[in-house]
């Protein structure tokens, strides 16, 4: 019997850890292809996957990567003169990775800029070049999996090319939306320069027909969000960013799969940045990490005072302002808080003001600091995540893995991962529904009260520590979608 050929999948993203990581997308693009590659045929209905990743060859990616080879070069059509592209191949943890160089990719020092046209030029070039590369190396791709607006144009270009180019006739596309409000607005002129027409889809609102994410959503065969709950939320006006009517028409081709956590990278048992390592059977050791944290920040050393933490981008999305107001409302209770983050200067300064106002309780650390974040996950009691929207959220999963209990707004992936039910012994955190300081303050008081009951608290911590956030579970769900698409069942 002739052996089935593997299913060929190209995962395309603007960033992927460990080569280059700016945000959560970098974590996903670094972990998911690896998890898919590690699935066994018996987890894939007898299929095998040949998964490869393609990212821009950003200038920060070490040019001296080992085992790097030039595999392809070609021109990308542009109205001001065709743009040369070169593709290099390397391998990261067993996953083949293509790096595309050309256009403004190399000259730019940042992964993302604040100038929409500048990013449009870079990422539309990259999206088109990725498809051109597949043909140039003669690799018959079954599935192209694009991510966010930066690579959504690959889905659109694929749909256009399928009409005339038999090479792509059987290629299907999947588009994951990690952060819907960022759509790539301001790209219209650049799309025209690369010869891409406005999208003809009348189901899309007119304003959306020349914006990369919506037109990628129109062109993709299947749409994904990074949590099941967020997939439902974007069908509503509150979360749909004006595209809810269009998405409701496409809802049979929309699903949500929870992001996993790279459990080998987030493990308090072997994390060498911690003062004291521990596992789920040694929750008392966490208290030593808490005392170390209190010492580091000059807070009263007392393990009975609940220690709140925040580790976050300081962005309107994350609801830091809600947390600040709620903390003010419970100023008379006994608690401490360490707030770590950078971003919007207004939010940063609100955090600094809270510290000035409550010097015995609050510390604000305005920077990005991975090692400190880990010490906080390992020593903090409760992580505050009052997000206004949250496509998936990693911090709650990391925190639970470190025995730090999440207190979060019940939205998006937070709702999918945190259990807070009346009289349940499955609870692993605290949820509140309305983004209103009073409601958050009530939930903080409830958490403080539970914290004082050591036995109850250890059950909540232990439930979090035992929640399965592995990538393997999610990778199987992705693979099933790919297989269904190829077999014409979706
Ligand atoms: P988002 O991707 O929307 O920013 P996530 O919760 O998905 O939010 O992921 C945030 C990631 O960034 C987590 O790994 C978190 O620990 C990390 N992080 C955020 N801010 C900081 C900071 N100031 N210092 C260190 N790590 C941070």
């Amino acid at each position: 019997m002739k052996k089935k050929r593997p299913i060929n999948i190209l995962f395309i993203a603007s960033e992927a850890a460990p080569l280059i990581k700016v945000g959560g997308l970098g974590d996903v693009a670094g972990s998911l292809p690896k998890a898919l590659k590690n699935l066994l045929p018996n987890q894939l209905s007898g299929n095998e996957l040949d998964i490869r990743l393609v990212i821009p060859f950003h200038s920060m990616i070490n040019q001296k990567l080992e085992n790097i080879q030039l595999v392809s070069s070609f021109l990308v059509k542009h109205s001001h003169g065709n743009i040369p592209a070169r593709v290099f191949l390397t391998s990261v943890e067993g996953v083949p990775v293509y790096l595309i160089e050309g256009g403004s990719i190399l000259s730019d020092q940042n992964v993302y800029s604040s100038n929409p046209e500048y990013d449009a030029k870079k990422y539309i070039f990259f999206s088109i070049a990725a498809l051109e590369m597949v043909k140039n190396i003669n690799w018959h791709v079954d599935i192209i999996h694009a991510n966010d607006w930066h690579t959504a144009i690959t889905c659109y270009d694929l749909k256009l090319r399928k009409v005339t180019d038999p090479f792509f006739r059987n290629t299907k596309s999947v588009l994951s939306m990690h952060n819907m409000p960022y759509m790539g607005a301001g790209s219209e002129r650049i799309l025209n320069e690369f010869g891409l027409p406005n999208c003809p889809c009348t189901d899309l609102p007119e304003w959306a027909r020349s914006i990369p994410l919506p037109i990628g959503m129109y062109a993709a065969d299947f749409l994904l969000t990074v949590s099941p709950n967020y997939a439902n939320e974007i069908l509503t006006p509150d979360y749909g960013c004006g595209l809810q009517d269009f998405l409701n028409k496409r809802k049979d081709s929309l699903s949500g799969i929870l992001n996993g956590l790279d459990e080998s990278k987030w493990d308090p048992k072997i994390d060498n940045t911690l003062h004291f390592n521990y596992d789920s059977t040694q929750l008392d050791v966490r208290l030593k990490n808490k005392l170390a944290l209190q010492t580091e920040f000059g807070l009263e050393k007392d393990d009975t005072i609940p220690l709140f933490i925040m580790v976050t981008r300081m962005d309107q999305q994350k609801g830091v302002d809600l947390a600040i107001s709620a903390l003010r409302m419970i100023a008379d209770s006994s608690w401490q808080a360490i707030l770590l983050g950078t971003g919007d200067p207004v939010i940063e300064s609100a955090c600094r003001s809270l510290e000035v106002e409550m010097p015995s309780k609050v510390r604000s650390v305005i920077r990005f600091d991975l090692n400190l974040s880990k010490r906080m996950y390992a020593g903090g009691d409760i992580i505050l995540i009052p997000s206004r929207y949250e496509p998936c959220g990693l911090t709650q999963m990391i925190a639970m893995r470190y025995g730090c209990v999440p207190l979060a707004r019940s939205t998006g992936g937070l709702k999918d991962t945190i259990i807070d039910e009346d009289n349940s012994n499955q609870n692993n955190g605290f949820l509140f529904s309305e983004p209103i300081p009073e409601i958050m303050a009530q939930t903080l008081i409830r958490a403080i009260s539970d914290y004082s009951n050591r036995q109850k608290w250890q059950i909540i911590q232990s439930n979090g520590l035992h929640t399965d956030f592995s990538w393997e579970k999610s990778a199987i769900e992705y693979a099933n979608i790919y297989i269904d698409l190829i077999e014409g069942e979706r």
Side-chain angles (χ1 to χ4, degrees):
M1 199 174 77
K2 199 172 156 219
K3 192 171 177 287
K4 270 208 258 187
R5 79 161 169 83
I7 296 174
N8 295 333
I9 300 157
L10 183 68
F11 197 91
I12 164 168
S14 50
E15 53 173 299
L19 292 177
I20 182 89
K21 179 193 144 166
V22 176
L25 171 61
D27 285 316
V28 176
S31 313
L32 176 58
K34 190 172 75 173
L36 282 160
K37 187 183 168 291
N38 291 339
L39 293 179
L40 301 170
N42 65 11
Q43 294 172 297
L44 297 165
S45 326
N47 289 288
E48 264 181 65
L49 305 183
D50 179 353
I51 170 118
R52 306 182 195 178
L53 171 68
V54 59
I55 59 171
F57 204 158
H58 296 291
S59 57
M60 297 79 94
I61 298 176
N62 189 349
Q63 300 276 343
K64 294 189 198 93
L65 282 173
E66 278 173 26
N67 300 324
I68 186 162
Q69 62 182 107
L70 180 68
V71 289
S72 168
S73 45
F74 48 82
L75 294 173
V76 172
K77 288 203 184 93
H78 189 272
S79 58
H80 300 169
N82 297 344
I83 305 173
R86 295 201 298 167
V87 184
F88 296 84
L89 175 63
T90 185
S91 162
V92 177
E93 297 176 79
V95 176
V97 182
Y98 296 106
L99 300 158
I100 296 186
E101 185 196 85
S104 55
I105 292 174
L106 257 189
S107 55
D108 192 2
Q109 293 306 308
N110 298 307
V111 177
Y112 308 113
S113 83
S114 51
N115 178 339
E117 278 216 341
Y118 194 75
D119 273 4
K121 216 164 139 184
K122 177 161 68 178
Y123 286 112
I124 292 168
F125 165 80
F126 170 66
S127 302
I128 296 171
L131 208 55
E132 199 63 55
M133 168 198 91
V134 165
K135 188 162 177 189
N136 204 271
I137 60 172
N138 195 27
W139 186 46
H140 284 269
V141 170
D142 298 296
I143 301 282
I144 289 196
H145 188 156
N147 293 275
D148 276 352
W149 80 262
H150 316 99
T151 53
I153 287 304
T154 311
C155 303
Y156 188 54
D157 194 22
L158 174 68
K159 193 171 173 93
L160 295 171
R161 289 204 199 197
K162 272 169 105 153
V163 180
T164 51
D165 190 343
F167 185 85
F168 290 111
R169 192 157 291 149
N170 297 320
T171 307
K172 297 279 172 71
S173 65
V174 174
L175 175 61
S176 280
M177 294 165 295
H178 302 256
N179 205 341
M180 263 238 325
Y182 295 85
M183 295 189 187
S187 304
E188 186 168 6
R189 191 173 61 84
I190 312 291
L191 285 168
N192 290 338
E193 285 175 6
F194 279 101
L196 292 168
N198 278 5
C199 179
C201 175
T202 48
D203 284 343
L204 276 177
E206 207 166 333
W207 60 262
R209 292 181 205 159
S210 56
I211 297 183
L213 187 70
I215 65 182
M217 286 156 87
Y218 147 78
D221 293 289
F222 202 79
L223 302 175
L224 281 167
T225 60
V226 283
S227 69
N229 188 43
Y230 192 63
N232 289 327
E233 287 177 342
I234 60 174
L235 299 174
T236 66
D238 280 352
Y239 294 91
C241 306
L243 298 176
Q244 59 278 5
D245 294 341
F246 165 79
L247 284 166
N248 272 289
K249 291 193 177 141
R250 288 221 59 191
K251 74 174 179 218
D252 292 342
S253 311
L254 167 67
S255 183
I257 301 176
L258 199 66
N259 281 339
L261 190 65
D262 192 332
E263 293 180 324
S264 63
K265 296 206 173 96
W266 297 101
D267 185 351
K269 195 169 176 189
I270 53 169
D271 187 332
N272 58 18
T273 64
L274 306 188
H275 293 290
F276 303 96
N277 290 105
Y278 57 94
D279 64 21
S280 59
T281 63
Q282 300 164 304
L283 284 173
D284 286 344
V285 178
R286 285 192 91 256
L287 294 178
K288 293 197 206 169
N289 284 312
K290 175 172 173 177
L291 292 176
L293 206 53
Q294 287 170 325
T295 310
E296 180 176 347
F297 284 95
L299 291 165
E300 186 182 347
K301 284 197 274 173
D302 181 344
D303 69 30
T304 64
I305 303 176
L307 173 57
F308 300 127
I309 62 163
M310 283 191 94
V311 181
T312 185
R313 277 188 295 120
M314 299 237 168
D315 183 283
Q316 177 71 358
Q317 174 199 347
K318 299 291 181 180
V320 183
D321 54 318
L322 291 176
I324 291 175
S325 303
L327 287 172
R328 277 206 183 99
M329 286 175 186
I330 61 160
D332 291 341
S333 305
S334 172
W335 51 267
Q336 298 168 337
I338 304 174
L339 315 175
L340 170 65
T342 54
D344 184 337
V346 175
I347 305 174
E348 290 178 352
S349 115
C351 291
R352 287 199 188 95
S353 302
L354 193 72
E355 174 174 338
V356 172
E357 216 175 293
M358 304 184 188
S360 64
K361 279 182 148 71
V362 178
R363 296 292 176 268
S364 295
V365 189
I366 308 300
R367 60 173 190 262
F368 189 95
D369 187 334
L370 176 67
N371 289 355
L372 172 59
S373 76
K374 290 175 160 190
R375 294 199 297 282
M376 287 168 63
Y377 289 122
D381 296 308
I382 300 166
I383 184 161
L384 309 182
I385 320 174
S387 304
R388 292 198 162 78
Y389 71 93
E390 196 57 81
C392 176
L394 269 182
T395 45
Q396 80 277 17
M397 299 194 229
I398 301 170
M400 283 192 250
R401 185 123 170 90
Y402 280 66
C404 178
V405 173
L407 185 154
R409 167 123 194 274
S410 178
T411 186
L414 296 166
K415 193 171 173 184
D416 283 319
T417 46
I418 299 172
I419 306 171
D420 179 14
E421 288 163 4
D422 287 342
N423 305 317
S424 165
N425 54 11
Q426 309 288 308
N427 288 349
N428 57 18
F430 298 85
L431 289 171
F432 64 96
S433 49
E434 298 304 313
I436 299 171
E438 286 79 2
I439 311 263
M440 182 172 177
Q442 286 161 15
T443 316
L444 290 170
I445 294 291
R446 185 157 62 89
I448 290 174
S449 154
D450 282 0
Y451 180 75
S452 63
N453 179 339
R454 274 285 148 97
Q455 207 185 349
K456 187 170 182 185
W457 195 255
Q458 289 210 339
I459 293 172
I460 299 173
Q461 284 180 302
S462 168
N463 287 339
L465 276 154
H466 289 105
T467 310
D468 179 5
F469 294 127
S470 70
W471 265 112
E472 185 182 82
K473 205 166 95 183
S474 304
I476 292 172
E477 290 183 53
Y478 279 101
N480 286 336
I481 285 176
Y482 301 152
I483 294 167
D484 286 355
L485 275 174
I486 291 165
E487 292 177 352
E489 287 177 14
R490 281 194 195 255

